[in-house]
Amino acid sequence: MFISIYTVRDILLQYGHSVVSDGYGWNGCYASHIVLHQGTCCVPIPHHIPDISAAPINCALATVVNAVSQLPDCEGNQLKMARIALVQGAGMLGLYACALLRDKGYDIVYCTDTNEERLKLSSQFGASPVLAGCNELQQIIDGERVDAAVEVCGVSSVVSHGVKALRPGGTYLLVGLVHPDSQLAVTAEQIIRKCLTLKGVHNYSPKHLKAAVEFMSRTIHKYPFDRLVSPPFPLKELESAIKAALSQQYLRVSVVP
């Protein structure tokens, strides 16, 4: 099995995001076959990774690998203080982020969401779950001791909380706010006085895809990756798969040709 990313010719072609009328052929999803263009990065999937776990690597996991790679390494922590991260959102990207942050060396990874069922799952990915709106989360925000915050929920109102929670010199990664309703209620003064680094992360490059496959290969028995994806629907039952996705019963719904 191989996972493809995209190829660069005179423009960026991203598989699954183009329409046939663009002139680049059959490059979308929900099909039995896909045409790969010359120069496409392909990464072999080790045999011990099940298809159901591998399927989201080339979107969600590779994107979060890119995001977490922007953070400083935890090595060289001369003060010997616990390294703390805050993940805002317990969807698929958030759960991957929890595991990757623990793998990077963060001692405590708080994960917050309004969905209690998803939060329960976050603990299996190395996180300390915190329900949005509870007193514990407010204490984390007011404590201003978070080294790194990762927004993966797509809700703009959480950004002011993330900025407040960060310690001076902290880093904030914005990943989920990829939509027009994303105006932020923060001031430049808040960012400047705390010397914060804010960075937006969108998609990934071939090196991140390779690193994502390596990460899952190494941790496939440590984290329940298979619980993030539904049992597969046949392609002919695509309508049922879409209904399952709309029900939010699963973080991702799988379809097989």
Side-chain angles (χ1 to χ4, degrees):
M1 178 182 176
F2 290 84
I3 282 184
S4 57
I5 176 175
Y6 46 71
T7 181
V8 177
R9 295 197 270 176
D10 25 354
I11 66 168
L12 179 69
L13 171 65
Q14 190 173 7
Y15 293 102
H17 288 246
S18 303
V19 296
V20 175
S21 59
D22 285 345
Y24 291 101
W26 302 98
N27 56 63
C29 50
Y30 304 132
S32 58
H33 294 77
I34 188 170
V35 177
L36 300 183
H37 293 268
Q38 184 177 1
T40 299
C41 171
C42 294
V43 182
I45 302 299
H47 293 297
H48 64 279
I49 299 181
D51 288 353
I52 199 167
S53 299
I57 292 178
N58 74 325
C59 183
L61 182 55
T63 296
V64 181
V65 166
N66 181 11
V68 173
S69 71
Q70 312 295 323
L71 296 173
D73 290 332
C74 291
E75 296 178 2
N77 183 10
Q78 297 180 353
L79 297 178
K80 304 300 181 184
M81 297 176 63
R83 302 291 285 184
I84 302 173
L86 172 64
V87 176
Q88 297 171 306
M92 177 169 277
L93 273 74
L95 298 179
Y96 282 150
C98 294
L100 285 161
L101 287 163
R102 291 304 305 270
D103 194 66
K104 195 175 180 70
Y106 282 82
D107 302 289
I108 302 171
V109 177
Y110 295 113
C111 183
T112 181
D113 202 296
T114 59
N115 188 314
E116 294 188 56
E117 290 303 314
R118 290 186 177 187
L119 279 178
K120 291 177 184 177
L121 190 56
S122 73
S123 63
Q124 298 183 44
F125 286 83
S128 297
V130 183
L131 186 65
C134 73
N135 290 334
E136 183 183 358
L137 178 59
Q138 192 59 50
Q139 291 173 2
I140 294 169
I141 294 170
D142 294 340
E144 300 187 43
R145 294 182 54 238
V146 172
D147 297 280
V150 184
E151 175 279 315
V152 281
C153 63
V155 180
S156 59
S157 60
V158 307
V159 175
S160 59
H161 300 158
V163 169
K164 171 68 173 173
L166 286 166
R167 65 163 176 78
T171 302
Y172 201 166
L173 301 175
L174 303 179
V175 185
L177 285 165
V178 194
H179 55 80
D181 185 20
S182 52
Q183 187 168 346
L184 306 180
V186 296
T187 66
E189 180 187 20
Q190 292 174 284
I191 298 169
I192 294 168
R193 287 191 180 277
K194 295 179 77 171
C195 299
L196 302 179
T197 297
L198 271 69
K199 188 160 188 175
V201 178
H202 187 49
N203 292 328
Y204 54 93
S205 70
K207 69 178 181 180
H208 302 122
L209 180 61
K210 294 173 184 176
V213 173
E214 188 278 330
F215 171 75
M216 184 171 288
S217 177
R218 179 165 50 82
T219 61
I220 190 64
H221 299 299
K222 184 175 182 179
Y223 300 113
F225 295 113
D226 59 322
R227 292 194 58 190
L228 304 183
V229 183
S230 76
F233 286 81
L235 183 58
K236 63 182 180 181
E237 296 179 13
L238 181 59
E239 186 175 344
S240 297
I242 293 173
K243 289 180 179 178
L246 291 174
S247 73
Q248 297 188 343
Q249 181 180 357
Y250 306 101
L251 294 178
R252 290 294 185 276
V253 174
S254 64
V255 177
V256 294

